[in-house]
Amino acid sequence: MHIDFSAVDEPETASVPGPREGDRAPGAADDGAAKDGAAGDGSGEPAAAAKPGGRGRAARKAAKGRATQDEAAPAARPGLLAGRRPAPLLLVASALLVGGAVTRMVLVMLVGWALAYLSRSLGDRSRKFAVLGIPLLAVTGLVLWFWGRGQGKWGPALQPGEQLWAAAPGVLRLAAVLSAVYLLVVTMRRRG
């Protein structure tokens, strides 16, 4: 294929050779390719790349090498968990809390809360809130709900057979799940 460059308006651009591959600075390599592309025939291909030998072939090799280096290099955009290191003990504690809530095993939930309390990656307030605060808030909510129902303040009044302790296991399971969610949010927010 032969391309005729006689109709180019700027003859000095076509006649002045650009710097060689070794003479370019690392940031200037892209500028040279953009200038060569401006001198092309309007099809988007650089004029130097249209020549079968010499500088065009070397430029294509260099561009191919840069493309493979860009593919091999890690992405510059941070991902969802880039730079974050979750604490393993908190992840295990969260898994035990959720597992205990699903299987209805109170002992597993207690072990999960104990591991969360023993973790050194949480601050003192966060640790106490996750282990003591969330379960106490859940049980307090249950007591207030039953008190209000007993007084007839919200919902129908309690039936004679309804007891407070019948709902306690469900509230404890809810507290375990809420504690696990809190621990996961706290551990994923930690920076490495």
Side-chain angles (χ1 to χ4, degrees):
M1 174 183 223
H2 177 70
I3 298 175
D4 184 19
F5 290 104
S6 62
V8 175
D9 293 336
E10 301 175 16
E12 62 272 356
T13 306
S15 63
V16 176
R20 283 188 267 157
E21 192 75 31
D23 296 339
R24 291 183 185 173
D30 295 334
D31 294 338
K35 287 179 184 175
D36 287 343
D41 60 344
S43 65
E45 291 186 21
K51 294 180 183 176
R55 199 168 48 112
R57 189 173 291 167
R60 281 192 301 253
K61 275 188 177 181
K64 188 175 182 181
R66 281 192 304 267
T68 56
Q69 286 176 353
D70 291 343
E71 291 173 2
R77 290 180 281 164
L80 179 65
L81 296 176
R84 299 179 184 182
R85 293 184 308 171
L89 192 59
L90 291 179
L91 292 176
V92 170
S94 298
L96 285 174
L97 286 169
V98 171
V102 169
T103 60
R104 301 178 182 196
M105 297 179 69
V106 176
L107 183 62
V108 176
M109 290 186 279
L110 290 175
V111 170
W113 274 312
L115 285 179
Y117 193 78
L118 293 175
S119 173
R120 296 290 176 201
S121 58
L122 286 178
D124 194 40
R125 284 187 195 163
S126 297
R127 186 175 11 163
K128 287 180 180 176
F129 180 71
V131 174
L132 301 173
I134 292 176
L136 284 177
L137 284 174
V139 170
T140 302
L142 174 69
V143 169
L144 284 175
W145 175 257
F146 270 93
W147 173 80
R149 293 263 323 266
Q151 299 294 324
K153 296 202 180 282
W154 45 76
L158 288 174
Q159 301 299 324
E162 283 187 272
Q163 293 181 354
L164 173 70
W165 297 111
V171 171
L172 191 64
R173 290 169 52 208
L174 175 67
V177 170
L178 290 176
S179 292
V181 168
Y182 176 76
L183 290 175
L184 284 175
V185 167
V186 168
T187 193
M188 291 302 181
R189 285 180 57 195
R190 290 178 65 239
R191 292 284 178 182

